[in-house]
Amino acid sequence: MEIQSVKGTRDFYPEDMAKRNFIADLWKRVSLRNGFAEYDGPIFEYLAMYQLKSGDEIASQLFAFEDRGGRMLAIRPEITPTLARMVNQRINTLPRPIKWFSIPRLCRAERPQKGRLREFFQWNIDIIGVDDCLADAEVIFCSVDYLMQTGLTSDDVVVRISSRRLMAALLEYFGIEEQQLEKVYGVLDKKNKVPQETFEKMLEEVISDSSKRQKVQKLMAVESLGQLEDFTGADENANQAIEELKQLFNYLDIMGITEFCRFDIGIVRGLAYYTGIVFEIYDKSEQLRAICGGGRYDNLLADFGGQKISATGMGMGDCVLGIVLEEKGLFKNLSQKNGIEYFVALADESLQNELLKVVARLRRAGRKADFSYKGGSLGKQLKQASAVNAAMCVILGEEFTQKKQLVIKNMDSGQQDIVAVEDFFSRLG
RNA sequence: GUGGGAGUAGCUCAGCUGGUUAGAGCAUCAGAUUGUGGAUCUGAGGGUCGCGGGUUCGAAUCCCGUCUCUCACCCCA
């Protein structure tokens, strides 16, 4: 019986692995240069940890199992609860601010579709212990810094930013009851995702009072921060939230990424735990789900049994990002980058042992070196060198036998140099 | 979990309303070619036509089920 791969999983052949590594290596490099330190946790945790803050729907999308000791466990669908647990355990000794990142492999038992699989990688960055929206600005900056590094520009992607705090204040100011807020958020989050008519109908279902509904509709038509002032009146909370957004955009401007960023009142985020600034980054073609999303979650650590400490962060999965980079042709020269540096070839079979010595020396000197197992004509060996994207070929022939010289061939230009063996290796350093 | 579309070689696909031994291009391997590669030419290997059942003298082709992929919905940490 032929065994097939499991639904929603991927096999990474070397060419796929090269793309995955391109994505993940850059995640790591950008995190480090933005001052984040790497952490990781176990790939499974107690099931209860994920049920704590999630509804039944989300709990049903976990890969859960019972171990031999009767413990109910689940493969991690996200790493934030693990982060909360780890930070809470050492909260009194960790120097602040806590700036951590991780690149966990996650599993969710959802139905796969475009940009969403059952197993994927997700870059997470979090800043814990900073109230100031400068931390939110840094999270956004770091995300944009990454996307720019991949070659994407403000013509390709946009950061849409809003504030849960603002929405909460205004909805309360409009007279919407607190217990209705979650439902209303759920609808508002759809604003950019469904047709205008559908949006209005959905709104009607959660806000029956027509004068309140009208206020909300008018609010959702707002397109810039400036227009917000008309709505707030003297409401202190709302005005503070607007001030915070203005400060955030000021930071983003100073850091030079303002062209990527836009205020968008339709960004609410599905999750209940967001408390302040929220944002999502989209591909401008609008055909895909969000590339990444994040925001402030000031209550989460307390919800997981710790002190109340402010936190903000974001997550970026590899699926949508991979589609975007592929579409924009940004996986360039990966086979070249991963190719062999020196392919060592024989023009004389009696030099087999000398060839192995050269290969071994190259490898010990830290160079990517390889050779042909089966040998054959020099032509065949050069052909193999091309197949593995070798940058240079080192040829051992009569020059070696007579004068201990190597032929060094540049596979790109075809140019050849003859150098003495010891000169060659001393130049390598 | 609900609904639409699709499964023929590693990949992209052809295969007429059911009728010999299921094809092509690309890729792979070998040879032309034992002192110079990417090209070209020649040849070879590779398929239980996703799987199971049904209809039929006969099924890649028609029907049912199932699995997988894919798109949308739910949800989206």
Side-chain angles (χ1 to χ4, degrees):
Chain A
M1 179 189 155
E2 190 174 342
I3 296 176
Q4 49 192 16
S5 56
V6 175
K7 180 205 271 285
T9 63
R10 289 170 289 179
D11 292 330
F12 293 92
Y13 287 88
E15 63 270 28
D16 310 305
M17 198 65 206
K19 292 176 187 174
R20 176 176 136 191
N21 284 337
F22 170 78
I23 287 173
D25 292 349
L26 202 53
W27 275 341
K28 192 165 182 168
R29 216 168 75 217
V30 169
S31 301
L32 293 170
R33 81 183 190 189
N34 277 268
F36 291 82
E38 188 166 16
Y39 72 96
D40 200 356
I43 201 160
F44 48 78
E45 294 264 11
Y46 283 106
L47 174 62
M49 188 167 89
Y50 301 114
Q51 292 172 320
L52 190 65
K53 288 304 295 169
S54 321
D56 290 343
E57 172 94 30
I58 279 175
S60 76
Q61 292 175 342
L62 292 169
F63 281 103
F65 60 99
E66 186 179 341
D67 76 0
R68 295 210 291 184
R71 283 173 278 263
M72 288 311 298
L73 307 175
I75 301 175
R76 62 188 178 190
E78 57 172 328
I79 201 167
T80 309
T82 302
L83 171 69
R85 182 170 59 70
M86 288 169 65
V87 169
N88 280 340
Q89 278 168 12
R90 298 202 179 171
I91 192 61
N92 292 325
T93 59
L94 291 170
R96 315 278 180 87
I98 298 161
K99 289 176 70 173
W100 284 5
F101 82 96
S102 192
I103 303 174
R105 184 175 202 138
L106 306 176
C107 292
R108 299 175 184 173
E110 299 173 294
R111 193 132 181 190
Q113 54 186 286
K114 190 168 192 182
R116 190 165 74 179
L117 297 167
R118 287 186 163 185
E119 185 195 39
F120 56 96
F121 296 86
Q122 188 186 64
W123 178 38
N124 283 75
I125 61 175
D126 292 277
I127 301 177
I128 296 167
V130 182
D131 289 328
D132 195 301
C133 69
L134 182 53
D136 304 88
E138 260 221 308
V139 168
I140 292 170
F141 178 85
C142 186
S143 311
V144 171
D145 188 24
Y146 175 83
L147 294 173
M148 285 167 75
Q149 269 308 293
T150 66
L152 292 165
T153 69
S154 58
D155 291 332
D156 303 310
V157 294
V158 57
V159 187
R160 297 188 180 145
I161 301 164
S162 187
S163 164
R164 267 290 180 91
R165 190 174 157 198
L166 173 76
M167 291 309 286
L170 284 174
L171 292 177
E172 192 187 339
Y173 180 59
F174 293 164
I176 289 163
E177 302 79 24
E178 205 185 330
Q179 61 267 36
Q180 288 291 87
L181 279 183
E182 279 308 318
K183 272 189 179 167
V184 176
Y185 285 149
V187 173
L188 298 186
D189 188 54
K190 295 280 183 270
K191 195 220 162 204
N192 296 328
K193 297 166 186 162
V194 300
Q196 181 67 19
E197 276 176 46
T198 317
F199 177 66
E200 281 168 19
K201 262 186 209 155
M202 290 170 81
L203 207 54
E204 221 174 301
E205 277 169 33
V206 290
I207 308 174
S208 46
D209 183 298
S210 74
S211 78
K212 287 179 190 171
R213 193 167 65 242
Q214 263 177 7
K215 285 180 188 164
V216 173
Q217 273 171 332
K218 243 177 112 183
L219 173 67
M220 294 308 283
V222 163
E223 284 178 350
S224 71
L225 266 182
Q227 292 172 24
L228 280 174
E229 321 257 322
D230 311 339
F231 290 87
T232 59
D235 189 78
E236 185 63 19
N237 289 334
N239 284 325
Q240 275 178 12
I242 292 173
E243 276 314 304
E244 185 185 45
L245 274 166
K246 282 185 178 166
Q247 182 60 259
L248 174 75
F249 275 90
N250 182 41
Y251 286 137
L252 296 173
D253 188 32
I254 293 167
M255 290 196 262
I257 57 165
T258 196
E259 59 183 351
F260 281 89
C261 302
R262 224 172 59 203
F263 173 69
D264 186 333
I265 198 150
I267 297 300
V268 182
R269 309 268 308 142
L271 208 67
Y273 64 56
Y274 287 109
T275 55
I277 301 290
V278 284
F279 73 96
E280 291 178 347
I281 302 183
Y282 283 86
D283 163 47
K284 279 192 170 172
S285 73
E286 308 276 334
Q287 298 302 303
L288 298 165
R289 60 184 66 243
I291 294 170
C292 85
R296 186 162 278 279
Y297 52 97
D298 286 343
N299 301 324
L300 193 70
L301 271 76
D303 291 339
F304 275 87
Q307 313 166 15
K308 184 166 163 33
I309 298 167
S310 59
T312 182
M314 76 93 207
M316 181 187 294
D318 71 320
C319 299
V320 173
L321 177 68
I323 293 169
V324 174
L325 295 180
E326 190 76 64
E327 278 178 358
K328 306 273 180 188
L330 294 173
F331 286 124
K332 280 179 299 201
N333 306 326
L334 290 183
S335 55
Q336 236 124 2
K337 267 187 233 158
N338 297 320
I340 288 292
E341 288 169 284
Y342 293 96
F343 193 93
V344 188
L346 281 176
D348 177 347
E349 279 179 14
S350 68
L351 293 171
Q352 168 85 16
N353 289 345
E354 298 302 325
L355 173 140
L356 290 177
K357 282 183 197 166
V358 170
V359 170
R361 273 184 84 173
L362 278 165
R363 288 174 177 171
R364 280 200 304 267
R367 298 307 195 279
K368 287 185 267 182
D370 208 356
F371 64 102
S372 171
Y373 289 146
K374 62 184 172 185
S377 72
L378 183 57
K380 283 238 147 67
Q381 295 175 66
L382 290 177
K383 197 167 184 163
Q384 194 177 336
S386 292
V388 295
N389 280 300
M392 309 287 277
C393 264
V394 177
I395 301 167
L396 285 82
E398 59 186 12
E399 300 88 343
F400 187 89
T401 316
Q402 289 164 13
K403 302 184 215 156
K404 290 271 178 279
Q405 288 175 334
L406 298 168
V407 179
I408 310 299
K409 180 182 176 80
N410 182 313
M411 295 299 279
D412 212 30
S413 64
Q415 195 192 320
Q416 300 192 161
D417 293 315
I418 299 178
V419 296
V421 175
E422 293 313 319
D423 288 348
F424 174 68
F425 280 106
S426 66
R427 255 182 255 163
L428 282 182

